[in-house]
Amino acid sequence: MSQQVSSPPQVSAPPTPSCLETVVPKQREFSWKVASNLFVSFKYAWCGITYAFQSQRNFRIHVGVCAIAIALSLFLQLKPVEIAVIAVTSGLVLALELLNTAIESIVDLTVKQTYHELAKIAKDCAAGAVLVSALVALLVAAMLLLPPLYVLIVSVI
Ligand SMILES: Nc1ncnc2c1ncn2[C@@H]1O[C@H](COP(=O)(O)OP(=O)(O)OP(=O)(O)O)[C@@H](O)[C@H]1O
């Protein structure tokens, strides 16, 4: 009795960098619209920022807290490098909040109102990234702002 041995299924090799151009078109043909110039790109970026500000309570809170931190650092006349550190950490929080909003939108677009474990992971991790950056920004601001603020308060009392 002869046994028929089936050959293993052919697995196509992953695309190598040299053939990526044929897989990913350069012209982004799947995009509904592509910004025609730099000015239009800025306009769409501003639309994203205003959307996040209007729709996301956390983004508004972060904008307010970051503005207070930067204003305080200027008022207390911190060193330029210290102001820069506060500005960078504040900017990181706001940028991650925008990415969080983008990920939420993509997840909602993909799964709509159905529950999916991967949707939960994506949203929870994006929210976690914002939380980590906010905690670090708070720590940095406290370390740089509290000592001169304390000196100012003691000198006034
Ligand atoms: N489609 C889904 N499938 C599974 N879990 C979901 C889904 N949508 C939301 N969730 C869960 O509900 C939580 C809250 O969802 P939401 O869309 O409000 O995100 P969020 O990050 O809390 O929003 P925000 O940043 O505006 O506070 C998510 O973190 C996730 O755990």
Side-chain angles (χ1 to χ4, degrees):
M1 216 164 79
S2 67
Q3 274 190 331
Q4 281 210 327
V5 181
S6 59
S7 57
Q10 293 291 313
V11 180
S12 57
T16 56
S18 60
C19 70
L20 267 180
E21 278 178 22
T22 56
V23 178
V24 184
K26 276 184 183 158
Q27 291 303 315
R28 294 183 41 219
E29 63 192 32
F30 296 120
S31 179
W32 175 73
K33 194 172 184 177
V34 178
S36 50
N37 59 50
L38 200 60
F39 177 75
V40 176
S41 289
F42 284 145
K43 202 183 89 180
Y44 288 131
W46 182 247
C47 283
I49 293 169
T50 51
Y51 169 78
F53 191 82
Q54 287 164 1
S55 65
Q56 306 291 313
R57 189 196 56 209
N58 288 353
F59 187 69
R60 288 195 292 276
I61 293 171
H62 285 141
V63 168
V65 173
C66 290
I68 290 170
I70 292 171
L72 255 182
S73 66
L74 292 170
F75 173 72
L76 294 168
Q77 297 181 338
L78 298 192
K79 291 179 197 150
V81 68
E82 292 173 334
I83 298 173
V85 169
I86 289 179
V88 166
T89 50
S90 300
L92 189 65
V93 175
L94 299 181
L96 284 176
E97 188 68 64
L98 287 167
L99 279 178
N100 179 38
T101 305
I103 288 170
E104 272 172 27
S105 297
I106 294 169
V107 169
D108 291 343
L109 174 71
T110 310
V111 301
K112 302 272 182 324
Q113 289 187 329
T114 57
Y115 179 90
H116 198 293
E117 197 58 33
L118 290 175
K120 178 175 166 49
I121 291 170
K123 285 192 175 187
D124 289 353
C125 287
V130 176
L131 183 64
V132 168
S133 68
L135 290 176
V136 170
L138 206 63
L139 185 73
V140 167
M143 281 166 51
L144 294 176
L145 290 173
L146 286 184
L149 202 59
Y150 176 76
V151 170
L152 180 73
I153 290 169
V154 166
S155 68
V156 168
I157 294 171

